[in-house]
Every structure is written in C-alpha cells, then in structure tokens.
Amino acid sequence: MDERIRDDFPILRRHEHGKPLVYLDSAATSMKPGAVIEAEADFYRKSYANVRRGVYELAAEATDLYEGARAKVASFIGARPDEVVFTRGTTEALNLAAWGLGETYVDPGDEVLVTEMEHHANLLPWQEMARRQGAHLRAAAVTQDGELDRDDLRRKLSPRTKVLALAHVSNVLGTVNPVAEVAAEAHRAGTRVVVDAAQSVPHLPVDVRELGADLVAFSGHKMLGPTGIGILWGRNDLLSELPPLLTGGEMVREVWLNWATWDSPPARFEGGTPPIAQAIGLGAAADYLRAIGMDEVRRHGEELTALALDGLLGRPYVTVYGPRDPALRGSLVSFSVAGIHPHDVATLLDQEGIAIRAGHHCAQPLHRRFGIPASCRASFYVYTTPDEVERFLAALDRVWEALR
Ligand code: PMP
C-alpha cells in the first residue's frame, strides 16, 4: 500500500496522551480521506438543493449528483443503479429487508434462518419479523474454529425456511462465509438469501451477482464514506415485490385520502428527503477505493491480519477467536488476554495512543457461544501500517506485564 495514503486522512495526524494515534477500530467505523470530506462540503458550498422535486437548475444539479453517487456505488458492487437503495446504514437496510420479506413471503409456521455469528443488526430485525408473522427463528451453529457449521445449516434449511440471513464477514470472528455456495443451497430449498455485507464490501472485491444473494446490505461509514448512508442492494424484480418501510413524500405515484400507489424501486424505499450529501460523500469514497483497487485493499488487509494473527497466536497469554488462516478472514482479529477484562486491556492501550474495541461488538449470542462476555478486537484498513500492528503487539506485552 502506498505510504502517501496516510496523508489523505487528516485525523491520523492526531496524538492521544502525547502518542501518535494508532487507530485499530476500522471495523466499527473507518476514517475519512480529504476527498470524501471535500465532496460533501463542496455539495453544501456549491450545489445544495433538495433532490427530485425541483424544476430549477440547482435542484437538477443536486439530483444529478445524488443519482451519480448511486451509479458509482452500483458499479462498485457490479450492480445496476435501479437495484441500489440508499438507506441510513446496514441496520436500516436489514430492517427494510426483514419488513418487506416478512410482509410478502412469511406466514405463520414458516421459518427464518440466521446464524449464531450475526451482529444484532442481522438478528433483531428477523426476531421481530418472525414474531409479527408467527414464524419460527432458527440459527445455524458456529464451529469451535469460528466457522459456519455447514452441516447444521443444511439440517436447518427446509422448504419451510422462507429467508436465510447471514453475514458475509463476521465482525467478531473475521470469518469469510462461503456465501455463494450457501446461497445456491438455500435457493434449491426455495429460500431467499439476505447478506449482511457490512464487513465485506469495504474490504474485499464484492460483486453482488457472484455473491448469489437476493438482498445485500452495507454501510457507507465503514468504507471511508460518511455516516448516515448505507445501501440495500436487491434484484430489481425482487425489490419490485417488496413494500416500503417508510411511507411519505417522494416514494409514491398517486395519493388519495384513503389510498396511495408506490413508486418503483429504488424511489419506493427512499421516502422523505434522503441523506443527499452523505450519498455524494459515499460516491467519492467508492471512487477513492476503486482508485486503490479492491484487490490491493484486500491484499493489504490480509497482510496486516496475518501479521496480527501471527503475533497474537505466538503470545501464550492470548486467546484468538476465529479462523487461523488470514486468507479465510476479513481485516480484523478478536482476542482475550488471560484473566484481564477486555475493557482494562483497551483502556491501557489507549494510554499508549492505541485505539482498539472491547465489548461484545453487538454479538452477544456469539460471545455466549464461546463462553465469554466480551472480547478485544483490533481491525485494520487501507491507512493502517505494519509498523502500527507491531506497536500494538509490543504495547499488549506491556499491558500483560502490568496487569498479570
Ligand atoms: N453488521 C455488521 C457485521 C457490522 O459490523 C455492523 C457495524 N458494527 C452492522 C451490521 C451495523 O452497521 P450500522 O451500525 O452501520 O448500521
């Protein structure tokens, strides 16, 4: 990775407690390059107006920028623009998916299948949908190595399974799930497949058609883009069958006092004034990642993950969760330090300017599966250097010496 990339991220010049910031929490959210900050600011400075409704030139320009951003994001994931719905983030996208699929396809006695490794954002919307529809929620197991138990998934997949929802990359274990293979099996059972790609689209080359899913959700803020913007991708024929989650302005064709007809996708799912500047910022983020090349982003992430895994596995006081092979992982590693609470580890690392995450990472059932209440997580992105990973590992030894 080009060293100059770091210069594009103004926040990385910060110091914490007198030490240069080592930001190892990109799985929670990524930092923003100047190009993204400027794209958003430029829109407010030069082209700002509401989209879709104005006939004047400024509104047309704003609409072009907004729709241009949709086209950039679509091409980033190998999709068509009319298949890309802007949401506030992965959470909203998955809620939209659960609402729409529930209303359309799920009846009392049906089943919805998730996995034990899901983020709460890909669990609670399905819990709620199953409750509303009188359906049963089931979960495929995770093996001790942190992989999806494919046999258990096969056992739980039946003609009653209307939806399978799973993560592409686990935000705790790092596991890259074989979505294309699993989706093919699910489709043979007549099941619709929803993928939480919050941790994959930012880090791996993802082509939604190769992924083979029916709906795919991800967030802008984890891929160098702004907060408040995310994506639900869906095949247009499927999106056309789903009802909206939000009703209101700009998502309708005809409105009478007692009834209304919905617009076609993606407008149908974008009721109200959308996050316009954020979408434009996300378009700039997609441009930035594309200029680096997603193969290079992946290669860099794998290199850093290999370095961290190697260092952590070589320390007898550390327990690592998830696959041992960096090729089977996203750009993150979760671990525990023997007898020391994850919050204490993170607090002492912060004293050295190193930001890692400690907690259940919004995956309580998964932590329960491994018999722990919480874990530490270090995660990496395009601006992370091997030197930073080494500094983290050396600081971890000092934490261990201080608290053992
Ligand atoms: N799924 C996964 C796997 C995640 O890592 C996250 C973010 N922590 C989410 C869903 C939720 O994303 P957001 O908070 O951007 O809606």
Side-chain angles (χ1 to χ4, degrees), residues 27-28 89-92 94 119 121 167 169-171 196 198-199 219 221-222:
T90 306
T91 302
E92 187 180 302
L94 291 169
H119 187 283
V169 172
S170 159
N171 67 313
D196 173 355
Q199 297 293 348
S219 295
H221 70 93
K222 293 184 202 278

Side-chain angles (χ1 to χ4, degrees), residues 38 55 70-71 81 97 123 187 255 271 286 288 315:
E38 282 309 313
V55 292
R70 191 192 309 276
L123 175 62
H187 284 150
V255 180
Y288 188 93
R315 285 165 164 78

